[in-house]
Amino acid sequence: MPASVSTPLSVPPSTEAPTPSRRWVRLAAWPVVAVLALSNEPAPLYVLWQRDLGFSSATLTLIYAFYIAGLLGTLTVAGTLSDRFGRKPVLVPGLLLGIVAGALFATAHSVPALALARLLSGIAVGAFLSAGLAAVTDVADRADKRFAGLVASSSMVGGAAVGPLLAGVLSETLPGPSVTVFVVQIALLLAALPVVLRMPLPRPEGRPGLTGGGWIRIPNAPRPHRRQLLLGLAVFAPAIAATGFVLSLGPTLLADLLHTSSRILSGVTIFGLFAAATGVQFAARRLRTRTDLLAGAALTVTSMAALALAVATTSVPALLASAVLAGLGQGLTQLGALTMLSANVPTSRLAEANAALTAGGYLLAGLLPVAAGTVSDATTLTTGTTAFALAVTTLVTTGALTVLRADRTP
């Protein structure tokens, strides 16, 4: 077994040596940020659409489900297509679909239009979570993969942070609250298009075709690296589920505790979560992968403790602390998992491995909050939230123990 994979967590800290490729690493991250802004951008605006279109909370959940369907469906094919035919044949259509989604959001006058916009935005985000993150790593020098992993991971959470903040502020300060936001978003996506077209990306290895399976399949890592993928998922999936809860039921909890439906406050809260996730990745750039994973798991556990305290005592500071801690936990576990994959998985399978990590994380992030909401409807919001906190704590603690045992395995 090669030395690079003999220990799943053997990724050295960055030496931070400047290289010419770093300029393109940063440029390649820009389209990821622009597209990922679409992932959470609609969240502060749902209250406006509900008021204007008169749909229920159940319908709102259905609209969100279209986003998850588009995201997960794309992740089953985008990584494979990207590895076989190149990044740009996946990224350019993804970017164009993001522009169409922005136009639909800006002109939506019905629930089907919102659902279609959410579906297309999920497809665009799925394309960039697989091929986009891999492209950031592709343009880096071989010895600079740690830096590329940091930039790829932070661009993902950075875009997720910018979107809701942009929507919250623009929708309350400019005319046309549900239109202006997406006009600006479309402009950002158009500015990203020439960057995608000019990326100095390597050609895919081997002859394009269907060797090794069909186009549509469950994404995975190569067999020698599946253990690393599972180790990353063991802590990353519960951590992203924690942030998913804040995104889905956080505004409801804020409304119950603060009695406000301010779109700016909602956007700022979500921004704070993802800003913490972005900032901690840069702060931890010299740490080893094992430290990233274990520290992220510990922060996720602390976040769940703060969440349980918040609902038990109706404490707004505890709720806000829980959101920030959840962001810190996701940021570190995501950085560790992506770095581990980019440092070990061959370029020819990297996009698929990234897709597998992201799909696994988002699948749990969709299931656990929905389960918590179901329990809350059947009992109380406090009971559902507490049950969710206990489930995430159990899962992420188990994952951390698995990482510890794997690091001691020869």
Side-chain angles (χ1 to χ4, degrees):
M1 183 177 292
S4 62
V5 298
S6 60
T7 302
L9 307 179
S10 58
V11 182
S14 172
T15 60
E16 294 300 314
T19 63
S21 69
R22 288 197 171 188
R23 175 177 175 271
W24 264 112
V25 169
R26 295 185 180 96
L27 283 173
W30 160 242
V32 178
V33 173
V35 172
L36 263 291
L38 269 174
S39 61
N40 298 320
E41 205 162 40
L45 303 175
Y46 282 133
V47 63
L48 293 178
W49 286 318
Q50 280 186 295
R51 182 197 67 193
D52 295 341
L53 302 179
F55 56 82
S56 66
S57 296
T59 302
L60 174 58
T61 303
L62 181 62
I63 292 172
Y64 181 73
F66 272 85
Y67 168 75
I68 296 295
L71 174 65
L72 294 179
T74 303
L75 289 174
T76 65
V77 64
T80 303
L81 291 178
S82 172
D83 286 336
R84 291 176 179 174
F85 297 98
R87 312 302 185 209
K88 292 180 184 179
V90 173
L91 295 178
V92 172
L95 196 57
L96 295 177
L97 286 177
I99 292 171
V100 174
L104 285 172
F105 276 126
T107 59
H109 296 294
S110 67
V111 169
L114 286 176
L116 179 59
R118 213 61 180 111
L119 176 69
L120 294 181
S121 66
I123 295 173
V125 170
F128 275 79
L129 285 177
S130 53
L133 296 182
V136 175
T137 301
D138 287 347
V139 297
D141 289 341
R142 189 172 184 83
D144 212 17
K145 296 300 184 181
R146 171 77 184 192
F147 175 76
L150 167 65
V151 173
S153 185
S154 59
S155 66
M156 173 182 170
V157 291
V162 168
L165 180 64
L166 191 70
V169 173
L170 293 183
S171 68
E172 290 205 9
T173 58
L174 295 178
S178 60
V179 176
T180 307
V181 172
F182 294 104
V183 171
V184 173
Q185 176 63 36
I186 290 171
L188 296 177
L189 294 172
L190 288 172
L193 183 58
V195 177
V196 170
L197 294 174
R198 295 184 60 188
M199 282 184 196
L201 296 169
R203 293 185 178 182
E205 297 178 8
R207 181 173 58 88
L210 294 178
T211 305
W215 289 357
I216 300 176
R217 63 179 182 181
I218 298 175
N220 207 338
R223 188 177 298 276
H225 308 286
R226 287 177 187 172
R227 188 183 182 202
Q228 295 163 317
L229 172 62
L230 293 175
L231 284 172
L233 274 173
V235 288
F236 171 63
I240 199 173
T243 60
F245 180 87
V246 174
L247 289 171
S248 58
L249 292 181
T252 300
L253 291 173
L254 276 175
D256 288 348
L257 295 175
L258 291 178
H259 306 290
T260 178
S261 58
S262 169
R263 297 189 296 278
I264 292 180
L265 179 60
S266 177
V268 167
T269 300
I270 299 172
F271 173 81
L273 184 157
F274 286 105
T278 305
V280 74
Q281 293 183 8
F282 284 94
R285 65 186 182 276
R286 296 182 184 274
L287 298 179
R288 293 188 178 275
T289 304
R290 173 180 179 273
T291 305
D292 291 336
L293 296 174
L294 295 178
L299 286 164
T300 301
V301 170
T302 308
S303 168
M304 293 299 94
L307 179 62
L309 176 65
V311 297
T313 64
T314 62
S315 169
V316 173
L319 180 60
L320 297 179
S322 174
V324 172
L325 288 166
L328 294 173
Q330 180 189 329
L332 282 178
T333 57
Q334 180 177 296
L335 173 61
L338 283 175
T339 302
M340 193 158 51
L341 292 177
S342 64
N344 293 283
V345 176
T347 299
S348 60
R349 294 289 301 277
L350 182 57
E352 185 183 354
N354 285 341
L357 178 73
T358 306
Y362 272 97
L363 182 61
L364 191 65
L367 292 176
L368 282 185
V370 169
T374 303
V375 173
S376 297
D377 287 343
T379 56
T380 65
L381 185 59
T382 298
T383 301
T385 302
T386 303
F388 173 85
L390 287 173
V392 170
T393 297
T394 301
L395 289 171
V396 79
T397 301
T398 302
L401 292 174
T402 304
V403 168
L404 280 171
R405 284 196 297 269
D407 194 47
R408 295 179 184 137
T409 302

